[in-house]
């Protein structure tokens, strides 16, 4: 008896195709080349007006470059060593930091208050509030300082006149070392609060109305809605405003220079670090030493910005 073993026929399996990346299309290469031409003008301007001045200024801080002579020589760390031992540098840096402390909190709080007032106002007076709150920001610094210098006049100024109506003696705002920086800070707040106001107003208009309606139906009052809905949803805007405002306040120069007639106030009580850089470089003609001071100030701005970003990022992670 013969036994036949039936064997099943297995179909042949085709070999897998070898993976090979297709060559790049000509259209993609052309678009990439076109993109380079679009970016190139900005890159050239960025390198010419930012990167190269940064490198040239850093090199100048290691030389004795001066406006009084054509040639300059390498002096190493001499300018930096002199800078760290110069009390005027630290005094002007302290004035700058103090001005930042004076101006940043009110510029954030007042801007938020004005934005809330405008956001809740009717359309009939809303346009007037927008115009009146933002108009000072459009004024040149020379006009702003001229207006406030007249207001600060001890004899006939409006501010001292208001103080005298409540039996408070007048103050020499711009000639007293105890008040000159506060006077400049108040001027700056009135002048620049409009920009922060617009940022807050735009953020408030982006909050859906139904969120407030749902909270009101749950019994939340106005203060509860403000602290539990408005402030948390404005956290990113507040972080942006604080960062921008701190950097802007650290760059104090124009209004301080104009309102003190370039002297920095009594005992240099209102001379910022940029003012001292200006005096050193263009009055004292020491470009190399002024460059070293400016890079110290640049490092301070970078440090403050990094600390600010880390602080708000931790708050967001905790929330």
């Amino acid at each position: 008896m013969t036994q036949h073993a039936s064997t099943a026929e297995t179909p042949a399996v085709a070999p897998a195709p070898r993976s090979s990346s297709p060559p790049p299309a000509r259209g993609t290469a052309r678009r990439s080349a076109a993109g380079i031409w679009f970016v190139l003008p900005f890159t050239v301007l960025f390198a010419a007006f930012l990167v190269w001045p940064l490198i040239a200024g850093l090199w100048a801080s290691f030389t004795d470059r001066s406006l009084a002579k054509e040639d300059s020589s390498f002096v190493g760390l001499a300018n930096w060593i002199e800078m760290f031992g110069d009390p005027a540098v630290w005094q002007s840096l302290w004035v700058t930091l103090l001005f930042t402390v004076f101006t940043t909190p009110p510029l954030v709080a007042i801007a938020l208050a004005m934005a809330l007032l405008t956001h809740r106002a009717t359309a009939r007076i809303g346009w007037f509030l927008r115009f009146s709150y933002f108009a000072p920001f459009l004024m040149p610094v020379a006009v702003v300082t001229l207006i406030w210098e007249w207001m600060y006049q001890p004899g006939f100024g409006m501010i001292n006149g208001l103080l005298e109506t409540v039996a408070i003696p007048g103050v020499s705002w711009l000639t007293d070392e105890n008040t000159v920086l506060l006077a400049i800070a108040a001027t700056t707040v009135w002048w620049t609060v409009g920009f922060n106001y617009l940022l807050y107003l735009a953020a408030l208009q982006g909050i859906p109305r139904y969120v407030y309606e749902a909270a009101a139906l749950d019994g939340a009052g106005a203060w509860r809605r403000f602290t539990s809905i408005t402030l948390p949803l404005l956290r990113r805007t507040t972080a942006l405003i604080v960062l921008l405002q701190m950097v802007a306040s650290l760059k104090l120069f124009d209004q301080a220079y104009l309102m003190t007639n370039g002297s920095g106030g009594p005992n240099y009580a209102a001379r910022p670090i940029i003012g001292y850089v200006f005096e050193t470089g263009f009055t004292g003609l020491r470009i190399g030493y002024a460059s070293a001071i400016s890079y110290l100030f640049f490092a301070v701005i970078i440090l403050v910005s990094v600390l600010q970003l880390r602080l708000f990022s931790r708050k967001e992670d905790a929330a």
Side-chain angles (χ1 to χ4, degrees), residues 124-245:
R124 181 170 298 179
I125 63 174
W127 70 269
F128 176 75
L129 293 178
R130 292 184 181 89
F131 171 77
S132 59
Y133 289 157
F134 188 69
F137 184 73
L138 302 176
M139 300 174 64
V141 61
V143 177
V144 172
T145 55
L146 181 62
I147 293 173
W148 281 84
E149 281 181 358
W150 279 90
M151 294 173 62
Y152 283 136
Q153 289 298 319
F156 55 87
M158 186 186 73
I159 296 179
N160 281 338
L162 294 175
L163 294 178
E164 291 175 358
T165 58
V166 292
I168 298 177
V171 180
S172 300
W173 295 99
L174 299 178
T175 56
D176 188 348
E177 62 178 318
N178 296 320
T179 59
V180 59
L181 191 61
L182 290 173
I184 297 174
T187 303
T188 305
V189 170
W190 178 83
W191 178 33
T192 60
V193 71
F195 179 76
N196 299 339
Y197 155 76
L198 280 187
L199 293 179
Y200 267 132
L201 184 61
L204 285 173
Q205 292 175 349
I207 300 176
R209 187 177 297 274
Y210 64 81
V211 177
Y212 293 103
E213 295 175 353
L217 291 176
D218 290 338
W223 178 252
R224 182 67 175 177
R225 293 195 299 269
F226 174 72
T227 57
S228 300
I229 298 176
T230 305
L231 288 183
L233 293 179
L234 293 179
R235 185 179 291 112
R236 292 183 178 272
T237 304
T238 302
L240 174 64
I241 290 175
V242 171
L243 179 61
L244 294 177
Q245 190 54 59

Side-chain angles (χ1 to χ4, degrees), residues 47-61:
F49 293 100
L50 185 63
V51 177
W52 171 246
L54 284 174
I55 298 174
L58 183 61
W59 169 253
S61 66

Side-chain angles (χ1 to χ4, degrees), residues 270-300:
R271 181 180 64 182
I273 185 72
I274 297 181
Y276 187 58
V277 170
F278 177 81
E279 292 179 9
T280 304
F282 295 98
T283 303
L285 307 180
R286 300 182 61 190
I287 299 298
Y289 186 54
S291 299
I293 301 174
S294 64
Y295 271 85
L296 172 65
F297 180 53
F298 177 70
V300 171

Side-chain angles (χ1 to χ4, degrees), residues 81-94:
I81 295 173
E82 180 184 356
M83 175 188 65
F84 285 112
D86 188 357
V89 172
W90 303 107
Q91 191 265 348
S92 58
L93 183 59
W94 170 250

Side-chain angles (χ1 to χ4, degrees), residues 44-89:
V44 172
L45 294 175
F46 182 80
F49 293 100
L50 185 63
V51 177
W52 171 246
L54 284 174
I55 298 174
L58 183 61
W59 169 253
S61 66
F62 297 103
T63 66
D64 62 348
R65 183 180 177 184
S66 174
L67 293 178
K69 59 180 183 179
E70 296 182 359
D71 300 331
S72 60
S73 58
F74 182 77
V75 296
L77 297 176
N79 290 328
W80 294 81
I81 295 173
E82 180 184 356
M83 175 188 65
F84 285 112
D86 188 357
V89 172

